């Protein structure tokens, strides 16, 4: 699971008012090289929840993103490269996504999150 | 009813199917070195007779089972039972049934048909029997659906973030991501499908664009308003609560997004009818049990739901005539030596699904079963 995906996942357990962002428990993180595409990053930037991304990257062992970001930073190649790496090249292969309100863990196996709810959570 | 002209200048892009990817069932059972070859020589009388014999035995058994189940156990189709299980429990049973069915059946489907697990779209005078033509028809189905829904082609307006609900092994997800150069998320109940989808996607160099999750379409793990194209290709049939299903599609759609539902339905009821005829209901129930489908609805039901949610440009069409060659082709592929042996190796759920295929043809011929497309736009 890439952090681009994590940035659009939330906990939908019954009764939870804000299930975003999910915390990450990382057991196995893999880095996969992806072609650098600055235009894509600039288009994506306004749609990202930045703090969630920065925190998630830190959970995967990458602390190079600033805690806050604004559009002017997109002029910096260095910033774009860090964004690229965090958003697209870090993969959570094994671990869990944790509901911020209930603590319920959604397992991630072989890079695929299982977001199915149990009977009592629906 | 919308008619699609067969002389229209639609264009479709053939999906690049990587020749180096070996379907997993081949790897498991036949070893490496064989590709996903199209089946050949499917007019084999001997096997047809065996299948027909098994079919008759199955019908006898399923008639007995229907009689028994209507007085005791809860049924998947939730129509004529005297015992009513708690709806949440029934829904969970259905969901795990769906997951198991596809976990068991997907490998075989992919071996013979490839990565698109939906009907092809055919001209009325279609007469080919080549499986590669069926694959082209499956791709055409995607293109015709996009055209019907008027998804913009203009690079400035085309979708950038797509959701594939009930994504199978990701055929549509990859096709749409490639076509629009967009990000695509796919959700499925089947862990095996999700893994296979991911493997195929990586093999085709699309892992940076397409991702998959195991998730429930009725309770999607996305915040509101995420996607500008919400795509449901032949997954609506599995949703036990159509209202919840449609609500979720609309919730996760961004303002201005297009929502496309292509699905099996029963025919629209006439104003004087309260329900289908009894024999129609019985036909559908047999199909429901084999394919893990809850009760069927009509295209009109979908239209009403979408209209009640104040969506714009709600359109529906009956495409049954454009899909009629499909089930006979599927049956023929099952009657080949390869198809038949593979079926026997999968398991009872898949076999039962295969044996029920003539009922699908019967349902279409009677006008009970319809193949429908419904699309709309979320207002800005």
């Amino acid at each position: 699971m890439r952090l681009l995906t994590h940035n659009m996942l939330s906990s939908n357990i019954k009764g939870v008012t804000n299930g975003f962002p999910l915390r990450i428990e990382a057991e196995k993180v893999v880095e996969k090289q992806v072609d650098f595409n600055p235009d894509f990053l600039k288009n994506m930037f306004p749609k990202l929840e930045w703090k969630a991304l920065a925190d998630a990257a830190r959970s995967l062992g990458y602390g190079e993103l600033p805690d806050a970001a604004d559009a002017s930073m997109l002029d910096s190649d260095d910033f774009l490269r860090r964004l690229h790496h965090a958003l697209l090249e870090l993969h959570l292969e094994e671990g869990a996504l944790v509901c911020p309100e209930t603590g319920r863990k959604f397992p991630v196996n072989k890079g695929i999150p299982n977001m199915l709810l149990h009977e009592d959570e629906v | 009813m919308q008619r699609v002209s067969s002389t229209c200048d639609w264009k479709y892009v053939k999906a690049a199917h990587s020749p180096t990817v070996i379907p997993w069932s081949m790897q498991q059972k036949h070893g490496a070195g064989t590709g996903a070859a199209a089946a050949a020589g499917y007019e084999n009388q001997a096997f047809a007779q065996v299948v027909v014999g098994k079919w008759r035995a199955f019908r006898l058994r399923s008639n007995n089972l229907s009689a028994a189940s209507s007085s005791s156990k809860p049924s998947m189709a939730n129509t004529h039972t005297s015992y009513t299980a708690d709806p949440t429990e029934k829904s969970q049973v259905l969901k795990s049934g769906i997951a198991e069915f596809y976990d068991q059946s997907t490998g075989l489907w992919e071996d013979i048909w490839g990565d698109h697990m939906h009907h092809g779209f055919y001209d009325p005078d279609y007469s080919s029997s080549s499986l590669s033509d069926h694959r082209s028809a499956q791709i055409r189905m995607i293109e015709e659906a996009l055209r019907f829904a008027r998804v913009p082609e203009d690079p400035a307006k085309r979708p950038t973030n797509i959701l594939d609900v009930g994504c199978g092994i990701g055929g549509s997800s990859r096709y749409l991501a490639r076509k629009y150069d967009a990000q695509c998320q796919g959700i499925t109940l089947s862990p095996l499908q999700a893994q296979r989808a991911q493997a195929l996607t990586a093999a085709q160099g699309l892992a940076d664009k397409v991702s998959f999750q195991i998730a429930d379409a009725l309770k999607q793990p996305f915040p509101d308003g995420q996607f500008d194209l919400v795509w449901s290709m032949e997954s609506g049939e599995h949703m036990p609560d159509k209202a919840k299903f449609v609500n979720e599609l609309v919730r996760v759609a961004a303002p201005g997004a297009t929502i496309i539902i292509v699905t099996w339905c029963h025919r629209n009821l006439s104003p004087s009818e309260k329900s289908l005829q009894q024999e129609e209901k019985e036909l559908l129930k047999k199909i429901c049990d084999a394919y893990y489908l809850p009760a069927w609805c009509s295209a009109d039901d979908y239209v009403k739901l979408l209209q009640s949610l104040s969506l714009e440009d709600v359109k529906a069409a009956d495409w049954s005539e454009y899909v009629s060659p499909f089930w006979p082709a599927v049956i023929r592929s099952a009657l080949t030596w390869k198809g038949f042996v593979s079926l026997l190796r999968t398991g009872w759920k898949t076999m039962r699904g295969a044996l029920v295929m003539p009922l699908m043809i019967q349902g279409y011929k009677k006008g009970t079963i319809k193949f429908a497309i419904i699309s709309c736009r979320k207002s800005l």
Side-chain angles (χ1 to χ4, degrees):
Chain A
M1 184 203 68
R2 301 170 296 162
L3 293 186
L4 176 59
T5 302
H6 169 263
N7 210 256
M8 40 175 129
L9 284 177
S10 77
S11 163
N12 47 2
I13 297 171
K14 181 174 70 179
V16 165
T17 35
N18 190 7
F20 179 90
L22 296 156
R23 283 194 333 265
I24 297 181
E25 283 179 7
E27 280 162 40
K28 183 173 165 205
V29 179
V30 167
E31 290 188 16
K32 296 184 192 175
Q33 205 258 329
V34 171
D35 289 343
F36 181 62
N37 183 342
D39 288 331
F40 171 76
L41 296 169
K42 289 177 184 172
N43 283 328
M44 253 344 276
F45 181 80
K47 302 175 195 172
L48 296 173
E49 290 293 331
W50 185 263
K51 183 156 192 318
L53 174 63
D55 290 342
R58 214 166 291 123
S59 313
L60 299 189
Y62 184 69
E64 309 299 309
L65 288 184
D67 282 332
D70 62 76
S72 64
M73 295 176 172
L74 295 170
D75 293 328
S76 154
D77 185 72
D78 176 67
F79 173 78
L80 286 175
R81 299 242 168 219
R82 293 182 198 206
L83 173 56
H84 167 79
H85 185 69
L87 199 61
L88 302 173
E89 293 189 322
L90 297 175
H91 288 258
L92 179 65
E93 289 289 308
E94 304 289 329
L97 303 175
V98 185
C99 173
E101 279 187 25
T102 65
R104 188 329 202 164
K105 297 186 191 188
F106 296 96
V108 178
N109 297 116
K110 296 189 199 148
I112 295 177
N114 186 332
M115 308 301 297
L116 291 177
L117 300 178
H118 304 138
E119 261 178 60
D120 54 342
E121 294 170 325
V122 175
Chain B
M1 183 170 73
Q2 176 121 359
R3 293 246 159 213
V4 177
S5 159
S6 59
T7 58
C8 60
D9 58 339
W10 53 269
K11 288 186 299 200
Y12 64 97
V13 177
K14 277 207 150 101
H17 189 67
S18 165
T20 59
V21 175
I22 300 168
W24 70 261
S25 67
M26 289 282 199
Q27 287 170 325
Q28 316 285 84
K29 291 154 194 164
H30 307 292
T34 47
Y42 31 67
E43 309 303 335
N44 190 317
Q45 287 296 325
F47 294 115
Q49 279 165 10
V50 172
V51 170
V52 167
K54 283 199 179 298
W55 167 243
R56 290 197 175 118
F58 164 73
R59 280 194 60 180
L60 205 58
R61 182 167 165 245
S62 80
N63 284 338
N64 293 339
L65 278 177
S66 295
S69 77
S70 65
S71 59
S72 53
K73 290 163 14 192
S75 95
M76 295 291 183
N78 68 39
T79 43
H80 316 293
T81 52
S82 57
Y83 168 83
T84 41
D86 162 55
T88 309
E89 187 200 317
K90 271 167 69 170
S91 172
Q92 297 291 95
V93 167
L94 175 66
K95 274 191 289 196
S96 50
I98 292 168
E100 282 163 23
F101 175 70
Y102 282 108
D103 274 357
Q104 194 185 99
S105 313
T106 296
L108 170 58
W109 181 270
E110 189 195 340
D111 271 1
I112 295 177
W113 284 84
D115 65 347
H116 290 298
M117 299 177 71
H118 60 250
H119 286 61
F121 187 105
Y122 306 87
D123 288 325
D125 55 359
Y126 180 85
S127 62
S128 165
S129 47
S130 149
L131 272 179
S132 69
D133 288 342
H134 288 290
R135 182 177 171 80
S136 300
Q138 288 177 309
I139 290 168
R140 184 177 171 188
M141 175 61 75
I142 299 176
E143 288 288 342
E144 294 286 355
L146 295 169
R147 218 163 55 93
F148 177 85
R150 294 199 276 257
V151 176
E153 293 264 343
D154 176 357
K157 298 188 188 141
R158 51 176 30 179
T160 56
N161 196 14
I162 301 170
L163 175 64
D164 184 356
V165 178
C167 60
I169 50 179
S172 288
S173 303
R174 285 185 292 277
Y175 187 88
L176 294 169
R178 227 186 244 114
K179 177 181 169 77
Y180 295 117
D181 192 26
Q183 290 288 318
C184 186
Q185 302 283 335
I187 58 173
T188 172
L189 287 175
S190 161
L192 199 139
Q193 280 188 339
Q195 285 295 336
R196 185 62 189 145
Q198 186 172 254
L200 281 169
T201 298
Q204 291 178 29
L206 287 169
D208 58 333
K209 285 199 161 54
V210 188
S211 316
F212 300 95
Q213 290 99 47
I214 301 162
D216 185 348
L218 299 190
K219 259 299 198 172
Q220 294 185 28
F222 306 112
D224 301 355
Q226 285 285 330
F227 302 100
D228 46 20
L229 173 59
V230 178
W231 176 267
S232 169
M233 171 58 75
E234 293 194 46
S235 56
E237 305 84 78
H238 287 294
M239 311 301 167
D241 186 332
K242 307 300 184 200
K244 253 194 210 163
F245 167 55
V246 170
N247 264 293
E248 279 292 273
L249 295 179
V250 174
R251 180 182 72 77
V252 302
T258 306
I259 300 170
I260 304 179
I261 302 169
V262 179
T263 184
W264 312 353
C265 292
H266 68 62
R267 62 172 175 83
N268 291 327
L269 299 178
S270 66
S272 56
E273 282 181 305
K274 288 214 172 63
S275 69
L276 294 173
Q277 306 292 319
Q278 187 56 27
E279 51 172 21
E280 291 180 302
K281 287 190 206 173
E282 282 166 10
L283 174 74
L284 292 184
K285 183 175 182 326
K286 290 197 184 108
I287 296 172
C288 285
D289 290 346
Y291 290 140
Y292 295 90
L293 307 176
W296 295 55
C297 73
S298 67
D300 271 354
D301 291 330
Y302 276 110
V303 167
K304 286 194 196 96
L305 279 168
L306 292 167
Q307 284 171 338
S308 74
L309 296 168
S310 307
L311 290 150
E312 294 173 352
D313 199 20
V314 180
K315 303 165 58 181
D318 177 357
W319 279 3
S320 307
E321 65 184 294
Y322 303 112
V323 303
S324 58
F326 185 71
W327 286 102
V330 178
I331 288 176
R332 279 199 301 275
S333 73
L335 290 176
T336 60
W337 171 243
K338 170 180 162 160
F340 188 66
V341 167
S342 307
L343 253 183
L344 291 177
R345 284 180 177 157
T346 47
W348 167 238
K349 286 185 170 66
T350 311
M351 287 175 60
R352 185 172 60 165
L355 288 170
V356 153
M357 292 191 288
L359 289 182
M360 287 299 297
I361 295 177
Q362 198 186 329
Y364 274 117
K365 282 207 169 106
K366 282 165 68 99
T368 303
I369 295 177
K370 295 288 182 183
F371 192 84
I373 178 166
I374 307 110
S375 71
C376 65
R377 200 147 281 123
K378 192 163 175 182
S379 45
L380 282 161

